[in-house]
Amino acid sequence: MTIWEFAKKAGVSIATISRAMNPQTRHQVSPATLERLEFLAKKYTYTPNPSAQHLRGSSFKTIGVLLPHLGGIFFSDYYAKVLAGVADALLTTDYRFKVILLKPKESKWDQHNFRVSESVDGLIVTHWPNFFSEASVLEKLKLPCVVINDPQRNIKAYFSTGDNRMGGHLAARYLQSKGHRRVAVFTGRTWSGDSRMRFRGFQATFKKLSPECRIEVLQGDYQEKKAEELTEHLVKTRPDITAIFCCNDLMACGVLKKLKELDIRCPEDISVIGYDDDQRAQTSQPPLTTVRVPLYDLTKDATERLVKHLQNNGEKKVFFGERVFPVEIVERESVAKLGQAKSPAGHRRERVVKLFYKSGNSLKK
């Protein structure tokens, strides 16, 4: 039933129907009329058209969450934390969210009108290079955007991210403290700003502390299978390598799997350190030492800021900025101290290694 048909049944104007169905204008309609319209709406199963409502200036009260349409995506700890952060941030609000799974397109989604076609007031975007040709497109979407990770400077969007350069710095400092000087780094996809910053932080710190060090850099694309292939190649061509730093835990788990297949002990023969601290890092064999990123916290905080912006008539204002969350090393059992026997059984399986900046950009444990 259209709004015109419903108005005729109810014997009121279309404007009255519109005011009654909009929470922001319901107070303008008398209680008796509201009661009658609600009764008729149930009787005739009338539902307001959200697109038509929005054309009249009201809000959808809906946030869209852009995720890449990948096989098994909802088994991913990464995306589970993102969705948990969004859901918990909206729990006490009158906003809801919808998941928008987008498949890769050669032409990207630069011209897509998400506001009209998806009926959303704002977007939460993961891995923006999967969807848009460049970050500046975010300014042209005509709705507020929160971007999780891969920040870009001077772009009119709000970026929420972990401190990637510091994460690489901490990983390098940690391996140095364990005596490792011949290391390999498995980087992420070429478009990933996070991966680049992690590597730069790692490389700068490692070379500063040990100018004679050697770093073998291999592109793992954030993929477990690719990391397995690179590991097999690495142990054949670089037998001097004592540790591998992976720019995400998925690759680190691939390294652990391949080392076990090759009968190479971790950490006794080769140490492995990951990045993210996803669920598999805790259950892998051995449990994975990694850089913990507060993904749930940074997503929840960003979603709360987006809702606050929208509640303050933010649809008509530019929403941009950046918040960088601190990261930390979580020490488990996948990194050995060179020249030292393995710790006895029964030692604590996990601890957070606190590394703090001091003056002169030095670190002290």
Side-chain angles (χ1 to χ4, degrees):
M1 180 177 287
T2 67
I3 190 172
W4 293 276
E5 293 169 334
F6 184 61
K8 185 176 180 180
K9 289 280 186 182
V12 298
S13 67
I14 293 175
T16 298
I17 299 292
S18 179
R19 284 193 292 270
M21 295 301 170
N22 185 348
Q24 299 174 352
T25 57
R26 284 174 64 87
H27 66 279
Q28 300 175 14
V29 182
S30 70
T33 301
L34 283 177
E35 184 177 357
R36 185 162 59 89
L37 291 177
E38 288 173 357
F39 170 79
L40 292 174
K42 291 180 180 179
K43 180 178 179 180
Y44 296 109
T45 61
Y46 171 73
T47 303
N49 183 324
S51 296
Q53 279 187 315
H54 194 67
L55 289 174
R56 294 191 296 274
S58 61
S59 169
F60 294 117
K61 297 294 183 181
T62 303
I63 305 296
V65 184
L66 296 191
L67 302 181
H69 197 163
L70 306 173
I73 184 173
F74 293 112
F75 292 110
S76 164
D77 187 65
Y78 182 94
Y79 296 110
K81 287 178 180 176
V82 169
L83 292 176
V86 174
D88 288 356
L90 300 180
L91 198 59
T92 58
T93 75
D94 57 351
Y95 281 81
R96 57 188 179 272
F97 74 96
K98 64 185 295 187
V99 175
I100 304 171
L101 295 176
L102 297 182
K103 296 179 180 178
K105 291 177 61 176
E106 289 185 6
S107 59
K108 301 291 186 180
W109 297 84
D110 294 1
Q111 306 302 318
H112 192 66
N113 191 330
F114 289 94
R115 183 187 295 276
V116 173
S117 62
E118 304 296 343
S119 301
V120 296
D121 302 310
L123 286 177
I124 295 172
V125 184
T126 63
H127 304 314
W128 68 261
N130 278 328
F131 310 126
F132 307 113
S133 59
E134 56 185 20
S136 61
V137 173
L138 297 169
E139 300 181 38
K140 305 171 186 177
L141 294 180
K142 297 181 180 179
L143 76 171
C145 288
V146 162
V147 186
I148 305 301
N149 295 326
D150 295 298
Q152 290 281 321
R153 305 295 183 196
N154 304 316
I155 299 299
K156 296 301 186 291
Y158 186 89
F159 290 89
S160 187
T161 181
D163 193 336
N164 290 292
R165 192 175 184 91
M166 172 58 83
H169 179 94
L170 295 178
R173 186 67 181 88
Y174 181 78
L175 289 179
Q176 286 276 345
S177 72
K178 299 294 184 180
H180 295 277
R181 299 295 183 270
R182 300 291 185 267
V183 301
V185 179
F186 289 3
T187 61
R189 295 186 182 276
T190 54
W191 52 256
S192 173
D194 290 350
S195 177
R196 286 193 296 273
M197 293 305 293
R198 292 167 190 177
F199 173 68
R200 289 172 185 171
F202 185 92
Q203 183 184 48
T205 299
F206 215 97
K207 289 195 171 184
K208 180 179 180 180
L209 296 174
S210 297
E212 79 287 357
C213 74
R214 295 182 63 184
I215 302 176
E216 183 80 11
V217 183
L218 300 169
Q219 186 178 328
D221 289 337
Y222 287 147
Q223 296 179 11
E224 184 174 357
K225 189 66 178 178
K226 183 70 175 292
E228 292 180 37
E229 297 169 358
L230 293 178
T231 301
E232 187 164 12
H233 168 76
L234 188 69
V235 298
K236 292 178 179 177
T237 59
R238 289 291 306 275
D240 60 321
I241 293 293
T242 65
I244 301 173
F245 168 51
C246 297
C247 286
N248 77 346
D249 286 343
L250 194 61
M251 290 190 293
C253 288
V255 173
L256 293 177
K257 180 181 178 182
K258 180 56 66 174
L259 290 177
K260 185 175 182 180
E261 289 178 3
L262 297 174
D263 199 26
I264 297 174
R265 299 172 302 167
C266 176
E268 294 90 342
D269 299 324
I270 294 182
S271 294
V272 180
I273 182 170
Y275 205 107
D276 286 332
D277 193 29
D278 68 21
Q279 193 171 23
R280 289 181 65 187
Q282 303 172 40
T283 59
S284 63
Q285 291 299 322
L288 183 67
T289 294
T290 186
V291 179
R292 175 178 289 164
V293 180
L295 184 59
Y296 166 83
D297 294 328
L298 67 86
T299 304
K300 183 173 183 289
D301 177 82
T303 305
E304 290 170 347
R305 290 171 183 266
L306 175 59
V307 170
K308 185 176 181 180
H309 176 78
L310 292 170
Q311 290 172 334
N312 292 331
N313 201 26
E315 293 179 357
K316 299 179 181 179
K317 302 175 185 177
V318 177
F319 180 53
F320 67 99
E322 179 181 5
R323 184 175 180 188
V324 179
F325 283 71
V327 298
E328 59 191 4
I329 293 283
V330 179
E331 184 180 66
R332 295 192 178 98
E333 300 174 26
S334 63
V335 177
K337 186 172 181 63
L338 295 188
Q340 179 173 300
K342 188 177 180 182
S343 300
H347 70 291
R348 188 156 45 136
R349 292 169 61 85
E350 175 180 327
R351 69 187 182 99
V352 174
V353 178
K354 295 295 185 182
L355 298 169
F356 300 97
Y357 264 127
K358 299 296 181 184
S359 60
N361 291 327
S362 62
L363 285 174
K364 184 175 290 186
K365 184 173 176 180

